Amino acid sequence: MKSMKLKTLIIISMLTLFFAACTKPAVEPVAPLDLKGSVTVKKKDGVKIHTYLSNSLQATHIIETEKSLVLVDAQFLVPFAKEFRAYADSLGKPIERVIISHGHPDHFFGLGAAFKDMEKKVYALKGTQQFIKKVGPVMLKNLGKKLGKAVPEELIVPTHVIEIGAATIDGVNYEFERFLNGEAQEQLLIKLPDLGILIVQDLAFNGLHLFMGNNTFDDWIVILESLQKIKNYDTVLVGHGKPGDTSIFATNIAYLKDVKRILATADNANAFKTQLLKKYPGLGGKRMIDISTPRLFKNQ
Ligand SMILES: [Zn+2]
């Protein structure tokens, strides 16, 4: 039963990737290892940005500089976390930091599967660190019951707090910003101003249905509108989907406005899902709807 659920998850993810593959890739794909997920690499000013997209649609990134690597998020399920780690190790440079963007399990669970030796190098916002410490054990237990061995046995809580503002790591300038009540309670935005790259993770999705479980759509739309106003960035790295450009903010805003409109009239989860799929027939990640609706409709 557990493996059936994992198989279903992977089949849905592969279908989604098929749809995603129909759009023009933002960067050139490469495959240095025999990967189940896919990797795209973007080179800019001597810095390489690697995006690993698992078959379960989680996108995690590596900023590769001359001497070291900075990783953003750690994947969800064990096989993909291990594959992401193997890919990072294949680059042959030490991991300087693993940055966790927010407190959803699909972004930090993989720490326990593949980054135990990095325990003292994991960074997150203060609220995210506290949330993972408090809620992480329950998440691990509950999702472990549903997904079995695909879920790591161990929880790693970020040890370092990211301070908002500017930082330089191995010669690359970073700017860290914090947003509240978007896709999650608290989320990190990473700007690489010299490279024109925004790492938004789940503040925006690319080519997929959005996770709607936080149910704070008005605030999320305001966040996306503020991201739209940021100038001099041409690449947007998300937590779900392929790298894109700043046009994805408008796409996400339109989607959330449709969600609000449909929610206002739909009596139950099925009616909501039917209308949303009718509006967005070609969008991948339909699983996002199913994992969101229990939080949007109390009586299903
Ligand atoms: Zn996510």
Side-chain angles (χ1 to χ4, degrees), residues 32-245:
L33 298 176
D34 182 22
L35 295 169
K36 292 183 191 72
S38 60
V39 172
T40 51
V41 182
K42 192 178 180 75
K43 290 181 198 171
K44 245 181 177 178
D45 297 341
V47 179
K48 280 188 193 170
I49 310 291
H50 308 252
T51 293
Y52 169 84
L53 181 63
S54 76
N55 278 355
S56 57
L57 297 175
Q58 275 74 32
T60 43
H61 316 285
I62 302 170
I63 298 118
E64 181 189 0
T65 45
E66 192 189 343
K67 297 191 188 96
S68 62
L69 310 173
V70 171
L71 274 53
V72 179
D73 287 337
Q75 288 293 318
F76 179 23
L77 303 176
V78 171
F80 301 120
K82 286 187 172 171
E83 191 169 65
F84 179 51
R85 176 63 193 267
Y87 179 76
D89 287 346
S90 77
L91 301 174
K93 294 178 185 176
I95 298 171
E96 176 69 29
R97 294 187 185 197
V98 182
I99 299 173
I100 299 299
S101 63
H102 63 292
H104 283 168
D106 52 321
H107 299 260
F108 70 84
F109 263 26
L111 290 171
F115 296 91
K116 287 181 203 169
D117 58 323
M118 292 287 122
E119 195 170 11
K120 293 192 169 63
K121 294 190 172 186
V122 183
Y123 289 69
L125 290 166
K126 181 83 178 163
T128 301
Q129 181 197 46
Q130 290 172 339
F131 181 79
I132 293 172
K133 191 175 182 182
K134 188 178 168 192
V135 187
V138 181
M139 288 177 173
L140 208 63
K141 195 176 161 191
N142 291 344
L143 283 165
K145 279 183 198 164
K146 285 183 186 171
L147 299 171
K149 289 194 182 302
V151 168
E153 291 174 1
E154 200 175 316
L155 176 73
I156 304 273
V157 177
T159 39
H160 297 277
V161 169
I162 289 180
E163 300 298 338
I164 300 305
T168 303
I169 306 168
D170 197 19
V172 170
N173 292 320
Y174 290 69
E175 288 174 16
F176 299 112
E177 291 183 24
R178 172 179 177 253
F179 290 95
L180 299 176
N181 303 323
E183 188 256 3
Q185 215 173 335
E186 178 186 72
Q187 288 170 277
L188 180 70
L189 167 68
I190 304 170
K191 290 173 164 176
L192 303 176
D194 301 332
L195 304 172
I197 295 173
L198 293 173
I199 306 178
V200 302
Q201 292 308 84
D202 288 8
L203 287 165
F205 288 49
N206 190 16
L208 304 171
H209 286 278
L210 275 59
F211 175 67
M212 299 160 270
N214 208 40
N215 202 356
T216 50
F217 303 120
D218 288 332
D219 288 337
W220 192 357
I221 289 169
V222 170
I223 292 169
L224 288 164
E225 285 170 345
S226 75
L227 296 180
Q228 270 187 312
K229 290 180 187 140
I230 299 174
K231 301 278 184 241
N232 303 321
Y233 288 84
D234 58 16
T235 302
V236 178
L237 305 184
V238 295
H240 298 275
K242 292 185 173 188
D245 58 36

